[in-house]
Amino acid sequence: MARRERVLRMSVELPLWRALAGYRVLTMLYAIGLGATRHGLFTRPWVAVCYFAVMFVWTLATLPWVRNAASCTKPFLAADLTIALAGVLITPLADSHQRIAGGPTLPSIWTAGAVLAFAIKGGWRWAAAASTPVALANLVERGHPARDTVHSLILVWVASIAIGYVVEVARASERTLARALEIEAATRERERLARDIHDSVLQVLAMVQRRGAVSGGEAAELGRLAGEQEVALRTLVSGGLLPVSRVSEDASAGAVVRAVEEPDDEGPVDLRALLAPYAGSRVSLAEPGAPVVLPRPAARELAAAVGAALDNVRRHAGEGARAWILVEDEPDEVVVTVRDDGPGIPEGRLAEAEGEGRLGVAQSIRGRLRDLGGSAELGSVPGQGTEVELKVPRNAKAGRR
């Protein structure tokens, strides 16, 4: 069955760039509107008009450059800061000294947009480096360090550094989350492969080992080799496989997690049809008279778990053991019980088997049900057989988190 690659793109940074683009446009309009209301008061209005025209064209033309960190290059940041500083420094050419002492600069609060771009791009250190020349330019423009000017400059300086620090923390959290998703995807794929290998390859190797030991001769040697391969494969499966998900970091789009996932088959299926092949002379199947409908992937996984439970009956209870399968169709869930009349499981044997890399119960049964959002309960009394109860929600879906 073909598998597809699912791409999860995460970025807490992109909304900040969108907000910055909006801030630049709104503050540009505010500065121009403020200048228009003071046009008649300028001593050299043509200086203000020329600067506003440059600021208007620059702001609109550079909107694509503030979409993300990749497009917001260092030359752009330097040019943007230069235009902001120039607007502050030429304010005395357009306005009188008396009005400068209590009035805004030509770019007004638009200047903060250049500092914020540095903060989002490079963090708090870049923010501090950009806000410092802005503060000096404002002091030069005022001619003296007035109290309101100093307060405004400290506010911009502290706010930009704080935003830069928040961006750095967000990026670190984003990378941590991406790594966690990578580990989760790799673990889920490893468990899926372990179940498939246990249900096929490991079972065949174990059978070859047993038959070879009984037959003797060359068959015994073949069985011995099959047993060695079974142990090696169990060790590989229980120890870990190569991760199938990959994390890449792209400053322009955030962290990206690529995970391989199985496509869902369309349409529900009657669970009874998947369990019917298990019935035989020593396996009894009791089922409802009406169809037990489940999503196809969930029904297939549940049937495979039942098959794994019956494999354990044959291997550990003996060829002569009997087993019973009971299917219960509840309103909110489907319950399948597998019971046998074998000798039961000694206390502590399951944990010991899992430690040896035998994943029949841990992965082929419990792992499958956990992925479906259900549960697998195993009860055993020495001398009275074993009972495995499998519960799956009605809306279960394979690969569920």
Side-chain angles (χ1 to χ4, degrees), residues 70-382:
S71 59
C72 189
T73 60
K74 292 181 180 179
F76 161 74
L77 291 174
D80 196 50
L81 184 61
T82 300
I83 293 176
L85 295 176
V88 174
L89 294 175
I90 66 173
T91 299
L93 298 177
D95 214 343
S96 64
H97 178 73
Q98 293 78 10
R99 288 174 28 77
I100 287 176
T105 61
L106 289 179
S108 184
I109 57 176
W110 183 84
T111 307
V115 178
L116 293 176
F118 272 85
I120 300 175
K121 170 73 174 182
W124 69 270
R125 294 175 180 83
W126 285 35
S131 57
T132 299
V134 171
L136 294 176
N138 276 272
L139 292 177
V140 170
E141 183 263 345
R142 295 291 182 184
H144 63 282
R147 178 177 298 180
D148 59 340
T149 302
V150 173
H151 286 176
S152 299
L153 296 179
I154 291 177
L155 179 62
V156 172
W157 195 71
V158 173
S160 60
I161 291 178
I163 291 176
Y165 179 75
V166 168
V167 170
E168 290 186 357
V169 172
R171 285 174 179 161
S173 301
E174 188 176 81
R175 289 191 293 268
T176 301
L177 176 60
R179 177 58 180 166
L181 291 176
E182 175 195 17
I183 295 173
E184 181 184 9
T187 301
R188 293 174 64 84
E189 181 67 4
R190 186 186 71 183
E191 292 179 354
R192 185 190 67 81
L193 292 176
R195 291 195 296 263
D196 293 343
I197 291 174
H198 178 272
D199 293 345
S200 55
V201 180
L202 294 179
Q203 298 287 357
V204 173
L205 291 175
M207 182 185 67
V208 172
Q209 181 186 21
R210 293 195 303 270
R211 297 290 177 84
V214 172
S215 301
E218 294 183 357
E221 177 64 15
L222 180 62
R224 185 186 65 81
L225 295 176
E228 293 177 356
Q229 295 301 312
E230 180 194 6
V231 172
L233 189 55
R234 286 187 188 276
T235 302
L236 176 63
V237 170
S238 60
L241 299 172
L242 291 176
V244 298
S245 63
R246 305 176 300 280
V247 170
S248 63
E249 297 177 17
D250 183 355
S252 65
V256 178
V257 178
R258 303 180 185 275
V260 178
E261 62 176 9
E262 295 287 345
D264 293 340
D265 294 342
E266 296 182 358
V269 65
D270 186 359
L271 178 64
R272 301 179 306 170
L274 300 181
L275 297 180
Y278 294 129
S281 58
R282 297 191 175 276
V283 178
S284 301
L285 174 62
E287 59 188 18
V292 181
V293 179
L294 283 175
R296 186 178 298 273
R300 194 163 47 212
E301 288 292 283
L302 179 56
V306 171
L310 294 175
D311 287 337
N312 287 335
V313 173
R314 286 190 291 269
R315 293 186 61 184
H316 303 296
E319 296 292 339
R322 292 187 55 82
W324 294 265
I325 304 174
L326 173 62
V327 181
E328 300 174 84
D329 191 7
E330 304 292 343
D332 298 327
E333 63 183 3
V334 174
V335 181
V336 179
T337 304
V338 180
R339 184 169 58 86
D340 65 69
D341 60 356
I345 302 176
E347 184 177 357
R349 177 54 187 153
L350 289 179
E352 180 183 349
E354 187 172 348
E356 294 173 353
R358 300 182 178 274
L359 307 175
V361 174
Q363 296 296 346
S364 291
I365 299 178
R366 286 178 177 160
R368 279 191 162 97
L369 272 295
R370 182 180 63 249
D371 288 349
L372 295 174
S375 63
E377 299 294 335
L378 189 145
S380 180
V381 177

